[in-house]
Amino acid sequence: MERLLALNELDLDYSDLDQSLSDLTKLAAKIAGTSISVVNLIDTFTQWSVSSFGMEISQTPREDSVCQYTIMEENSKGLEVADLSSDQRFKDRAYVTGDPFLRYYFGVPLKINESLPIGSLCVIDDEYKSLSDEKKEMLEILAEEIVKRIKILHAVNTLKHSLQECTTIKNNVAHDIRGPLGGIVGLTEIIEMQGDGNTLEEVLSYISLIQKSGKSVLELADEILSKCNVIEKPKDHEFTLKTLRKKVEDLYGPQAMTKEVRLEVHSTEEHAALPFSKNHILQILGNLISNSIKFTPAGGLVRVDLDMEVTDRDRLLFLKVKDSGVGMSKEKIDQIISGAAASSSGTSGEKGYGFGLNLVQRLVHKLGGRISVCSEPGVGAQFELALPVS
């Protein structure tokens, strides 16, 4: 759980990392002399290949991957498999028995700190290889550089989010100052009217200046509000309902297709173009979708609904994931809500890691949102979330 929380804290968009990492990924293959190199990040259910050289790949079920072993504590210095076809763990995998007929593997964990690997840098080949200690050490150094770049990307995205929060604060301040300043302007007008017959011309001149200044600030507040109410195109650190829908379809459509489960993603038209911060939204939604696909048999349906409620100051994102899977008992639901859900296996024997729903619960709580679960054994499950967004 600690490892998964560290990965989710980075709040990465797995489909947008290749541009930043492609040069290091290619360099890894050149150092090792292999035809393939891949940077993988491993979450609850999926190994995400965020950058690859020599092979087109975007994701692999975690239980089918080699890198799931690389991130284990006993392989902190790397995992080498001289012949995948003779290793009991991998000899029957499709990538070994069929195209591309992989044979050699060496992977180095990507450590966010001394003890938390979030994924791996691996080099692979369809021929038997042997890497010298010097080359392995160079790959370890390269893995450290990849982690540094990922941290930099996270820092940049955090800064962008902070700037967006400043804009929100500016909007709120503009609302807050309009009332008091309007009262000040009104008061100075009354004082000026009462003082028309007064000989204190100097005092009246000061009051006139105060009135003019108050009106200027009021006009400025109106200008700020006008600008803040203009809907702009989403920035790199933002989603809209429309772009979130497309991202979900692109990332989790292949998982559903592999399982022969139909994935439908719907979003409302109202506020469809209004940007909001990404802020763990994809991690939360992705875990729920992967979980639903896992527990829905072939021919079933997983439906995702995206909606937003907007008030003068607040935005509330509503997410719903509903499946036609095996469902859950009330006891299981209570375990999920309390954060004590245990591992279980999917309808096709997928390994259950016991962390997906617990992780969602923690992230939703961290964002100040709420989650509800409705399910019965044999009739599927429905997860509904309400998340405040900026």
Side-chain angles (χ1 to χ4, degrees), residues 231-235 238-247 265-277 306-310 315-318 389:
I231 296 178
E232 301 177 351
K233 292 182 178 180
K235 301 176 179 62
E238 295 175 324
F239 278 132
T240 64
L241 292 180
K242 184 177 181 181
T243 58
L244 179 57
R245 173 183 173 179
K246 179 68 165 55
K247 184 67 68 174
V265 187
H266 303 270
S267 59
T268 58
E269 291 299 321
E270 188 177 13
H271 311 306
L274 191 64
F276 53 89
S277 174
L306 314 173
D307 195 5
M308 183 185 292
E309 179 183 287
V310 179
R315 300 176 187 177
L316 203 58
L317 185 65
F318 292 99
V389 293

Side-chain angles (χ1 to χ4, degrees), residues 108-111 139-149:
V108 183
L110 301 174
K111 297 179 182 179
L139 290 173
E140 288 182 32
I141 295 172
L142 204 57
E144 292 175 1
E145 182 61 30
I146 289 171
V147 172
K148 288 178 183 177
R149 288 205 184 176

Side-chain angles (χ1 to χ4, degrees), residues 301-372:
L301 169 67
V302 174
R303 177 185 170 111
V304 181
D305 290 287
L306 314 173
D307 195 5
M308 183 185 292
E309 179 183 287
V310 179
T311 62
D312 287 342
R313 295 192 180 187
D314 301 314
R315 300 176 187 177
L316 203 58
L317 185 65
F318 292 99
L319 309 174
K320 181 165 70 174
V321 179
K322 184 177 182 180
D323 63 62
S324 61
V326 298
M328 294 177 290
S329 65
K330 184 179 183 304
E331 290 73 21
K332 185 71 172 180
I333 294 174
D334 291 341
Q335 289 174 2
I336 292 172
I337 297 301
S338 65
S343 173
S344 53
S345 298
T347 57
S348 294
E350 305 97 327
K351 291 182 181 178
Y353 292 91
F355 293 133
L357 298 179
N358 292 352
L359 181 63
V360 168
Q361 176 77 5
R362 294 195 185 199
L363 292 176
V364 170
H365 179 74
K366 177 181 179 181
L367 295 178
R370 60 181 186 270
I371 179 172
S372 63

Side-chain angles (χ1 to χ4, degrees), residues 55-71:
M55 180 171 65
E56 291 294 328
I57 183 173
S58 61
Q59 56 180 277
T60 306
R62 176 173 168 171
E63 62 266 22
D64 291 342
S65 69
V66 183
C67 290
Q68 64 173 316
Y69 296 95
T70 304
I71 64 173

Side-chain angles (χ1 to χ4, degrees), residues 191-211:
I191 294 174
E192 186 177 21
M193 286 191 323
Q194 290 178 343
D196 281 344
N198 201 310
T199 59
L200 299 176
E201 294 180 1
E202 185 176 354
V203 174
L204 291 176
S205 67
Y206 282 128
I207 293 176
S208 178
L209 289 173
I210 293 172
Q211 179 184 342

Side-chain angles (χ1 to χ4, degrees), residues 3-37:
R3 188 192 74 78
L4 287 171
L5 287 171
L7 175 59
N8 280 274
E9 188 63 31
L10 294 171
D11 200 17
L12 301 171
D13 187 334
Y14 300 137
S15 63
D16 289 343
L17 294 177
D18 184 55
Q19 184 176 359
S20 300
L21 301 177
S22 59
D23 57 334
L24 297 180
T25 308
K26 182 177 180 179
L27 181 58
K30 298 302 180 183
I31 290 173
T34 58
S35 57
I36 300 168
S37 56

